[in-house]
Amino acid sequence: MDATSSSTRVLAVVGPAVDRERLVDALSPLSVSVAPSVDAAGRRAEAESVDCVVLGTDRLAHVNAVHGALAVPLVVVVPPDGDLSAAAARDAGAADVVPVVDSNLFERLPERVESAVAWRRRGAAAASKITEDLKEQAIDEAPVGITVADCSLPDRPLVYVNEAFETMTGYSADAALGRNCRYLQGPNTDPERVAALRRAIEAEESASVELLNYRANGETFWNRVDIAPLSGPDGEVTHYVGFQTDITERVRAEAAAERYAARVDEERARLQTLVEHIEGLLADVTSALVRAESRQELEAAVCDRVTAAGSFDCAWVGHCDLSPAVIVPNERAGTDTEFLDGLEISRSNPDDPTARAAESRAVQSAAVGDGSVHAEALVPFDSVIAVPLVHRGTLYGVLTVYTDVAELDEQVRVVFETLGRAVGAAIDAFESRRSLLSDERLELELDVRDETQPLVRLAVAGDCELSYRGSAQHDDGTVSLFVSTHPATEFEEADTDLDGLRSVDVLPRGDDAELYELTFDDGSLLHLVADAGGRLVDLEVDRLGCRLTVIISDRVAGRALLDDLQTVAADAELRSVTNRSEPPEARREFVASVTDDFTDRQQSALQLAYLGGYFEWPHAVTGEELAETMGVSRATFHQHLHAAERKLISRFFDSDPY
């Protein structure tokens, strides 16, 4: 609706509690004049032949005074913190009451004014159009089941059912009519709820119950039944109307929530029993679980408490919930921990107890002297016990503990097995909470060792290494990757004729560095990262393969990305996982809003100018050179660049770029 879309004449009367400028601005699509006071409203409304009066106030006396002097509708606008309620304003004669709030309740004020005017003029005529046929059509086509039972006939049979009832129950009208509605009941229908309905009917009262009913094919469904008596001219109840609503999904959801709550209670009870019945180490660690506020803090506390117990000298936790090819220490505590620096345990090593614990999900122990413990590390202890941290089928990590005790007995294994389950449950809770509430993301370091990948073949052809400088997605589905080469390299045309690589373009720079834009078709490694919701932040490529650093939302997305990489590459593995705090939401929203605002050409112009050193002084590259790279004229390049700069600056200062 624009300023000329309506000829409705409005007189605005604004009290001190309402922002005059805001109210008048909201009414601008209408023809508006402003009265100087409540006292003048009646005279002005009559003299100017207005169609409606809009009164902004928080006082009931103002409403009474203005309404009493009007022959046109009155719309009252109330401040959100005032004492005047909508009910009180309506009782005083207001046709509508609109709160001044930041929502469409206030934004649609002009439409509500016009509605009040239209109802005053044509409401009676509109109401008169509601014929009996229209009412019957509305009942027939209502989205809930509607039935009518005749109380004058024996057993109160149904004499009417609508289409929604037939659809919901599977009974046609021919099969339903002439029978009491109890045919929907079955062996598992609650008789007490049925009795409640019967008592209400006998008392000629309304009632509402939820029943397990049966469709014509025998399938069960939950039915909310609302009934009400209908009386004849003499006041006697002649019929009962019933409304049936299928609430099966709601009931199932409630049952699922109750089962989940029961499982939570069972888990809580199990942990409580664990604390009560296992003394020493287990009780001490459990207290650390209760106090920890993050997964990292929890794992560090577990290591600290295990090594502080007196019998164990060193402990560390390695993560497994993204199924990395190697397990490395994330948190550690105790004495003589230097041997853990650089320790990497292959998950496929059947001789290492940590790897066996991850694969078998059972506690493993071994003596260090037999050479099967961390073969490449000199372990300064006599024994090791590896404990999988598992909860509900998910392996989160392995707790590996060292001691100078020569042999670990079964009681120790039982205690650590219980400890592993408790820690696994706590980690599961932290991960669930973090994925819902935290701004933390995961930083994954991935190795893709596949000589057939276009990036690797390009590095081999140029006898160089490629380093990440940036990336951009285009409207046609392609992705551009900006890389520098070390040493500086000039690729031959034959070097760049690779499957999946659409083009290789050298970008001008003012220094001696070689900068290239590589454009990939769908299916590239960069597309897989984007499809998983990830963000590439670093990339290194040489003749051996690609090393990617990716920010991903959670471990589920990380697992999906790793699976996709392993599908397209001969050898893809996860090297490390690091929790990383993302920038504040406001910053992410700013970046997203700017990116969405750019055209493909504008973003390309801005990115090429930044990477090429155009914004340095003196310019490291000229506009003519960048225009040639984009395949456009110098004037067109500057047009795209200036448009992108204007949008970026406009967004920065939070103003409309248009």
Side-chain angles (χ1 to χ4, degrees):
M1 180 184 294
D2 57 32
T4 62
S5 65
S6 175
S7 60
T8 300
R9 293 160 299 178
V10 176
L11 177 65
V13 187
V14 189
V18 177
D19 186 332
R20 175 187 296 265
E21 184 177 352
R22 184 178 182 185
L23 179 59
V24 173
D25 182 64
L27 292 169
S28 60
L30 308 176
S31 177
V32 183
S33 61
V34 181
S37 67
V38 170
D39 295 336
R43 297 190 303 274
R44 286 282 299 275
E46 183 177 355
E48 298 179 13
S49 299
V50 299
D51 300 307
C52 182
V53 172
V54 176
L55 170 63
T57 185
D58 63 347
R59 298 180 183 178
L60 183 60
H62 288 171
V63 180
N64 288 320
V66 173
H67 177 258
L70 293 180
V72 295
L74 170 64
V75 174
V76 177
V77 176
V78 296
D81 55 351
D83 295 330
L84 178 59
S85 68
R90 280 189 171 277
D91 289 344
D96 199 357
V97 182
V98 182
V100 184
V101 291
D102 293 327
S103 75
N104 66 349
L105 292 175
F106 180 70
E107 292 169 0
R108 300 186 67 85
L109 177 60
E111 289 92 332
R112 297 177 71 164
V113 168
E114 292 201 321
S115 175
V117 173
W119 182 253
R120 175 64 66 89
R121 292 173 177 173
R122 303 191 298 274
S128 68
K129 295 179 182 179
I130 305 301
T131 64
E132 293 302 318
D133 288 342
L134 184 59
K135 293 178 183 178
E136 183 176 347
Q137 181 183 0
I139 294 174
D140 287 341
E141 299 181 7
V144 298
I146 299 177
T147 61
V148 177
D150 192 330
C151 297
S152 67
L153 297 176
D155 204 27
R156 301 183 186 90
L158 296 181
V159 293
Y160 171 81
V161 295
N162 70 347
E163 292 181 5
F165 178 87
E166 296 179 68
T167 302
M168 180 173 63
T169 66
Y171 287 95
S172 66
D174 289 340
L177 297 181
R179 305 165 64 189
N180 187 286
C181 203
R182 71 172 65 88
Y183 62 80
L184 295 178
Q185 300 170 24
N188 292 321
T189 303
D190 187 347
E192 289 297 325
R193 300 185 182 187
V194 175
L197 273 182
R198 186 169 58 251
R199 288 192 297 269
I201 294 173
E202 291 172 352
E204 299 184 346
E205 297 174 346
S206 299
S208 179
V209 298
E210 295 179 359
L211 296 174
L212 181 68
N213 280 165
Y214 291 74
R215 306 188 204 275
N217 62 4
E219 177 186 347
T220 60
F221 71 102
W222 280 96
N223 187 7
R224 190 186 72 213
V225 181
D226 298 281
I227 62 170
L230 302 177
S231 301
D234 59 358
E236 293 292 325
V237 173
T238 61
H239 296 80
Y240 253 91
V241 62
F243 301 91
Q244 285 84 15
T245 307
D246 189 338
I247 58 170
T248 305
E249 292 302 319
R250 194 209 76 196
V251 173
R252 287 175 178 171
E254 291 174 349
E258 290 176 359
R259 290 194 298 271
Y260 176 77
R263 288 198 299 269
V264 170
D265 290 341
E266 290 173 2
E267 185 69 17
R268 187 181 296 112
R270 189 187 67 79
L271 290 177
Q272 182 61 35
T273 301
L274 190 69
V275 172
E276 292 175 352
H277 293 87
I278 301 178
E279 299 179 349
L281 170 64
L282 188 55
D284 201 18
V285 170
T286 304
S287 66
L289 304 186
V290 175
R291 289 194 295 271
E293 296 183 356
S294 68
R295 177 175 179 177
Q296 181 181 10
E297 182 181 334
L298 181 148
E299 292 171 351
V302 169
C303 294
D304 286 337
R305 298 307 176 86
V306 167
T307 55
S311 299
F312 305 99
D313 304 287
C314 178
W316 60 274
V317 172
H319 290 172
C320 298
D321 38 336
L322 273 168
S323 300
V326 295
I327 304 173
V328 299
N330 289 93
E331 299 296 331
R332 67 181 74 176
T335 61
D336 299 326
T337 61
E338 293 80 5
F339 77 99
L340 299 177
D341 296 335
L343 178 64
E344 294 184 352
I345 299 173
S346 172
R347 287 192 61 166
S348 61
N349 182 359
D351 296 327
D352 193 291
T354 300
R356 293 202 310 272
E359 293 306 304
S360 67
R361 303 194 179 191
V363 175
Q364 303 289 325
S365 60
V368 173
D370 61 13
S372 62
V373 177
H374 317 334
E376 298 180 359
L378 182 61
V379 181
F381 305 103
D382 293 332
S383 299
V384 61
I385 185 167
V387 185
L389 308 178
V390 182
H391 184 66
R392 292 180 183 169
T394 299
L395 174 68
Y396 286 103
V398 177
L399 168 65
T400 302
V401 181
Y402 306 89
T403 178
D404 282 332
V405 176
E407 185 175 350
L408 300 172
D409 60 23
E410 185 62 24
Q411 182 179 1
V412 173
R413 292 172 59 88
V414 170
V415 170
F416 272 108
E417 183 179 11
T418 308
L419 173 64
R421 291 197 300 267
V423 176
I427 293 175
D428 180 82
F430 281 123
E431 287 301 317
S432 299
R433 183 176 64 185
R434 183 184 59 80
S435 64
L436 291 173
L437 304 177
S438 173
D439 283 331
E440 277 196 348
R441 298 294 183 264
L442 298 180
E443 181 179 278
L444 310 183
E445 291 187 10
L446 301 145
D447 268 2
V448 179
R449 296 186 177 273
D450 186 346
E451 296 178 356
T452 66
Q453 290 296 318
L455 284 170
V456 179
R457 294 176 63 186
L458 195 64
V460 171
D463 193 21
C464 63
E465 296 180 359
L466 310 180
S467 297
Y468 179 75
R469 297 299 304 276
S471 60
Q473 290 184 285
H474 301 298
D475 296 337
D476 61 359
T478 61
V479 174
S480 287
L481 175 68
F482 301 96
V483 298
S484 57
T485 60
H486 309 281
T489 304
E490 293 186 10
F491 294 107
E492 301 292 335
E493 184 174 349
D495 298 338
T496 62
D497 186 16
L498 302 171
D499 290 340
L501 186 59
R502 176 174 292 191
S503 62
V504 177
D505 299 306
V506 63
L507 303 181
R509 279 187 61 88
D511 51 25
D512 294 331
E514 292 290 353
L515 185 64
Y516 289 91
E517 179 182 7
L518 315 179
T519 304
F520 293 88
D521 290 320
D522 192 22
S524 70
L525 299 182
L526 278 72
H527 283 89
L528 295 182
V529 171
D531 290 345
R535 176 163 51 88
L536 183 67
V537 296
D538 197 14
L539 173 68
E540 294 180 358
V541 185
D542 58 23
R543 63 177 53 253
L544 298 178
C546 309
R547 285 161 296 284
L548 302 86
T549 302
V550 176
I551 301 296
I552 205 78
S553 60
D554 54 41
R555 295 174 186 272
V556 174
R559 178 71 259 177
L561 173 59
L562 184 57
D563 289 343
D564 289 343
L565 292 175
Q566 290 172 340
T567 300
V568 302
D571 185 7
E573 68 177 44
L574 178 67
R575 299 298 301 173
S576 70
V577 182
T578 305
N579 287 337
R580 170 171 170 171
S581 294
E582 282 284 272
E585 185 69 22
R587 180 178 182 274
R588 293 203 301 273
E589 290 177 351
F590 172 77
V591 173
S593 67
V594 172
T595 303
D596 290 343
D597 207 22
F598 288 152
T599 66
D600 195 29
R601 283 293 196 175
Q602 290 167 357
Q603 184 169 352
S604 295
L606 189 63
Q607 193 158 18
L608 290 176
Y610 173 73
L611 293 173
Y614 180 78
F615 297 114
E616 299 172 5
W617 185 258
H619 294 317
V621 65
T622 66
E624 289 84 355
E625 292 173 309
L626 294 172
E628 183 179 354
T629 300
M630 291 183 61
V632 298
S633 68
R634 177 179 177 275
T636 300
F637 166 76
H638 281 291
Q639 180 182 0
H640 290 316
L641 181 61
H642 292 331
E645 291 172 330
R646 183 173 64 254
K647 291 179 179 179
L648 180 63
I649 294 171
S650 297
R651 290 290 186 184
F652 181 81
F653 287 108
D654 196 24
S655 62
D656 191 338
Y658 301 103

